[in-house]
Amino acid sequence: MPSPIQVVALLKAQNIRHVRLYDADRAMLHALANTGIRVTVSVPNEQLLGIGQSNATAANWVARNVIAHVPATNITAIAVGSEILTTLPNAAPVLVSALKFIHSALVASNLDGQIKVSTPQSSSIILDSFPPSQAFFNRSWDPVMVPLLKFLQSTRSYFMLNVYPYYDYMQSNGVIPLDYALFRPLPPNKEAVDANTLLHYTNVFDAIVDAAYFSMSYLNFTNIPIFVTESGWPSKGDSSEPDATLDNANTYNSNLIRHVLNNSGTPKHPGIVVSTYIYELYNEDSRPGPVSEKNWGLFDANSMPIYTLHLTGAGTLLSNDTTNQTFCVAKESADPKMLQAALDWACGPGKVDCTFLLQGQPCYEPNNVVAHSTYAFNAYFQKMAKSPGTCDFKGVATITTSDPSHGSCIFPGSSGRNGSFPNTTSLAPSSNSSTSGCHSVYFYGAGSFTTSVIIGVLLMSMVYL
């Protein structure tokens, strides 16, 4: 997987202004320093018991993972554990204590005003989620949920929720239509209607979020905003997962981004943005489990897009291409004969305009096969809209976020053509409930939390090569 420096380069190229780390990786925090990117760090599940049982342990964690990095690294939130009630129930009795101890350490350092503390929950803690107006949290967790919600309310924090319409669809045995899960338009007679409120639901995502709002209302908490910390759709599955496809993943994530950015909110709270992380930034080829578990990413390990999000009409915040400001370059270690063959193909059958490489033209110098191949490879890559597989050339090319333009030689796709960067889709790494060492990032639209637009992407465990 990419190194922290490479990850941050991608985030900057994508104009990502917020990032969430699934842990508090020191190398990532150092790489994020002085970038202005707003960072959420996380307490891994395996550290929760110790922190929840000791104020001193919590203070030490904050000192090492927060105070040591601010203000150079702009840390704005701490996610304490992930889906503790459903994945680590033995730690549930100390969950709220952990949040309080972490918050107390922030108060002692006068950081509580800028850093929020919360904990992501699985939507499976919501029972009878449809109709949303009848939903409620699993009552067996009331001894935890009530003090948790009191804490979130008193600290003006948010309720973190993981929302996966894919799993709801898969587990419904055909009851939930695929179009309803994917945000596809439904005729009015196909919309789900809450008989108690007469609210119409056109997608699973909104129904789950409103079910959480109603569940909090059931416990008499009505002013805590919801932050969706994980959501997405796998792009590939095995024979038992026929709807884990590139098209469905593209459709879901594109529609989700559009849905969040149009500020529509939910039927219960129209106009109130539900900030959201997309799961996840990179595919995980070595992850155990079914094929779908390896294929939630928007990029592969080489930062090659798995698919290009369809975002036409999404407004000025996003463009049609998630990989703006990425380029295709020749590998300097590649066999010169293979580079020459690939260069000949690009300028011939590949129909790249290679006149810029002729003597006397802007990109003639340096006059060597690596430099000329880099220009031709990138021109082809850009011409093909950066589609998967168009920056390979039999293994002699690779993706980079560094603009290879030099002097008067301006490469296709470079901001140098018009002096300004195009609007870009901002991606963000995020967390997964069962894996530590993850990073997550999200897109941020200007404004305070109550008006911000956040689209995030989860970045799973990384091995730095």
Side-chain angles (χ1 to χ4, degrees):
M1 299 294 281
S3 70
I5 292 176
Q6 291 170 322
V7 171
V8 172
L10 175 62
L11 305 183
K12 292 168 70 175
Q14 293 294 334
N15 195 30
I16 296 167
R17 304 310 306 155
H18 287 224
V19 58
R20 175 183 168 214
L21 310 183
Y22 188 67
D23 50 17
D25 184 84
R26 181 173 298 179
M28 275 299 303
L29 290 172
H30 280 305
L32 287 162
N34 303 312
T35 63
I37 295 173
R38 296 162 67 93
V39 181
T40 294
V41 295
S42 300
V43 175
N45 285 2
E46 61 268 22
Q47 297 180 26
L48 184 68
L49 278 172
I51 289 174
Q53 294 173 332
S54 169
N55 203 343
T57 301
N60 287 335
W61 191 94
V62 170
R64 287 194 318 273
N65 299 298
V66 178
I67 297 172
H69 299 282
V70 296
T73 302
N74 188 15
I75 297 173
T76 58
I78 301 173
V80 181
S82 182
E83 299 188 351
I84 293 298
L85 301 185
T86 50
T87 64
L88 195 64
N90 64 305
V94 301
L95 176 60
V96 177
S97 294
L99 270 71
K100 289 180 176 180
F101 289 159
I102 292 286
H103 185 256
S104 294
L106 295 175
V107 171
S109 298
N110 199 30
L111 293 172
D112 56 301
Q114 70 185 63
I115 301 177
K116 298 296 184 184
V117 182
S118 188
T119 178
Q121 299 294 338
S122 167
S123 62
S124 65
I125 65 171
I126 302 171
L127 302 183
D128 295 336
S129 59
F130 200 90
S133 62
Q134 292 183 0
F136 57 93
F137 293 126
N138 187 328
R139 298 302 303 274
S140 65
W141 292 120
D142 278 4
V144 177
M145 290 302 301
V146 172
L148 169 61
L149 295 174
K150 285 182 178 179
F151 170 82
L152 298 178
Q153 185 179 63
S154 66
T155 59
R156 302 185 68 180
S157 188
Y158 31 77
F159 185 78
M160 292 180 170
L161 182 69
N162 297 339
V163 178
Y164 284 105
Y166 172 74
Y167 289 125
D168 289 278
Y169 165 74
M170 288 288 290
Q171 295 164 8
S172 73
N173 295 317
V175 174
I176 294 178
L178 181 61
D179 288 348
Y180 183 56
L182 293 173
F183 291 93
R184 284 178 177 152
L186 298 172
N189 64 328
K190 296 293 185 180
E191 294 178 358
V193 180
D194 187 323
N196 300 313
T197 61
L198 299 182
L199 294 174
H200 286 237
Y201 288 88
T202 60
N203 61 81
V204 175
F205 181 89
D206 281 352
I208 295 174
V209 172
D210 272 0
Y213 276 127
F214 277 108
S215 296
M216 287 192 284
S217 297
Y218 186 85
L219 296 176
N220 296 316
F221 295 90
T222 58
N223 58 349
I224 301 174
I226 289 176
F227 191 127
V228 174
T229 38
E230 297 182 21
S231 193
W233 198 282
S235 61
K236 185 178 181 181
D238 56 32
S239 58
S240 66
E241 304 168 301
D243 294 299
T245 66
L246 280 173
D247 183 62
N248 287 344
N250 195 338
T251 298
Y252 179 82
N253 285 328
S254 296
N255 287 339
L256 173 60
I257 291 173
R258 189 178 298 109
H259 182 66
V260 173
L261 292 181
N262 69 16
N263 296 331
S264 61
T266 66
K268 178 174 171 57
H269 291 299
I272 297 180
V273 172
V274 181
S275 300
T276 302
Y277 286 99
I278 295 176
Y279 178 81
E280 62 185 319
L281 187 58
Y282 293 108
N283 272 346
E284 299 181 85
D285 295 340
S286 61
R287 186 176 175 85
V291 173
S292 63
E293 287 298 307
K294 311 174 192 292
N295 290 281
W296 290 79
L298 298 177
F299 293 87
D300 64 19
N302 296 315
S303 296
M304 188 71 188
I306 304 300
Y307 50 85
T308 299
L309 293 172
H310 299 314
L311 297 171
T312 302
T316 59
L317 292 176
L318 299 174
S319 73
N320 290 343
D321 183 5
T322 65
T323 60
N324 279 325
Q325 292 302 300
T326 55
F327 305 87
C328 182
V329 299
K331 294 180 179 178
E332 294 188 2
S333 60
D335 184 331
K337 292 182 179 179
M338 292 186 66
L339 282 175
Q340 186 63 56
L343 173 60
D344 293 342
W345 182 91
C347 294
K351 298 182 178 180
V352 166
D353 180 4
C354 291
T355 57
F356 290 91
L357 299 175
L358 297 177
Q359 189 169 2
Q361 295 300 311
C363 299
Y364 176 72
E365 296 290 349
N367 181 21
N368 60 63
V369 70
V370 172
H372 284 197
S373 294
T374 289
Y375 182 89
F377 293 173
N378 181 68
Y380 180 78
F381 180 57
Q382 304 293 336
K383 182 168 76 84
M384 300 304 292
K386 307 177 186 177
S387 300
T390 58
C391 181
D392 181 67
F393 295 93
K394 295 187 176 180
V396 298
T398 187
I399 298 287
T400 181
T401 56
S402 298
D403 188 342
S405 301
H406 53 90
S408 60
C409 178
I410 306 301
F411 275 51
S414 169
S415 61
R417 284 202 178 277
N418 56 20
S420 62
F421 287 96
N423 293 324
T424 58
T425 300
S426 297
L427 304 178
S430 82
S431 75
N432 177 275
S433 58
S434 58
T435 307
S436 63
C438 310
H439 311 296
S440 47
V441 189
Y442 53 85
F443 182 100
Y444 175 70
S448 64
F449 170 78
T450 55
T451 59
S452 67
V453 177
I454 298 172
I455 290 292
V457 189
L458 308 185
L459 177 61
M460 298 311 301
S461 296
M462 300 174 64
V463 177
Y464 304 127
L465 302 178

